[in-house]
Amino acid sequence: MTTCSATDVDQMTSNERGARPVHDENPLLDYLGIGLVRWGPGKSEFRIAVEARHLNRAGNLQGGVIATILDAACGYAGLWSDAESAPGNAVTTMLTVSYLAKANVGILTATGRVTKAGRKLYFASGELIDASGTLIAIASGTFMHQRPR
């Protein structure tokens, strides 16, 4: 079982894979402007700078964008491999998102952490916060490792 706390994510240091777009691995995240900031065993961190294209008709961050960044944070948290190996792939089998506050400007940070891992499945939770620390949304999900092709 792999676990980490919010403090672990805060203490994560950027690594060779950190602070970069993920367009080679996930074109959708690149298109939305979602970048991988930190990644380590059982945890990940993504950021997005909210732009007009991310807003819904009411002028708030669209729920699908929130779900996408939280799905990425939770999913990538279970895919870390050492610096010599390529990361694996997984599919989301379940994702639950709770929307807690509105956001419409600024930089948002999504953190994901593995809460339990097995041979085929892993479970992860995540949170999305704004620059002032306001909790925008939380998520929990189940992910299935994919076999290499």
Side-chain angles (χ1 to χ4, degrees):
M1 177 167 90
T2 305
T3 61
C4 68
S5 68
T7 303
D8 294 331
V9 173
D10 291 339
Q11 294 174 348
M12 235 184 334
T13 58
S14 293
N15 55 60
E16 298 79 31
R17 299 183 212 199
R20 64 177 172 78
V22 291
H23 62 274
D24 291 337
E25 298 163 3
N26 193 322
L28 176 64
L29 296 183
D30 186 51
Y31 174 77
L32 291 173
I34 297 171
L36 177 62
V37 178
R38 298 181 206 186
W39 197 8
K43 51 200 169 213
S44 70
E45 182 178 302
F46 285 81
R47 286 210 181 109
I48 185 171
V50 177
E51 300 174 7
R53 65 184 171 136
H54 300 124
L55 304 180
N56 61 22
R57 291 181 5 196
N60 296 309
L61 184 61
Q62 207 276 340
V65 176
I66 292 171
T68 299
I69 193 169
L70 285 168
D71 183 44
C74 291
Y76 273 67
L79 296 178
W80 172 259
S81 58
D82 61 48
E84 302 300 316
S85 302
N89 288 308
V91 294
T92 306
T93 62
M94 186 278 303
L95 183 71
T96 302
V97 179
S98 297
Y99 302 91
L100 307 174
K102 295 177 183 178
N104 53 25
V105 296
I107 296 175
L108 305 179
T109 302
T111 55
R113 59 196 153 276
V114 172
T115 54
K116 182 165 177 62
R119 205 168 47 86
K120 293 182 180 180
L121 294 176
Y122 62 96
F123 304 87
S125 62
E127 61 181 35
L128 181 66
I129 61 169
D130 67 14
S132 70
T134 300
L135 189 59
I136 304 300
I138 57 174
S140 63
T142 307
F143 303 84
M144 184 185 323
H145 288 285
Q146 285 189 315
R147 294 182 216 182
R149 294 180 185 193

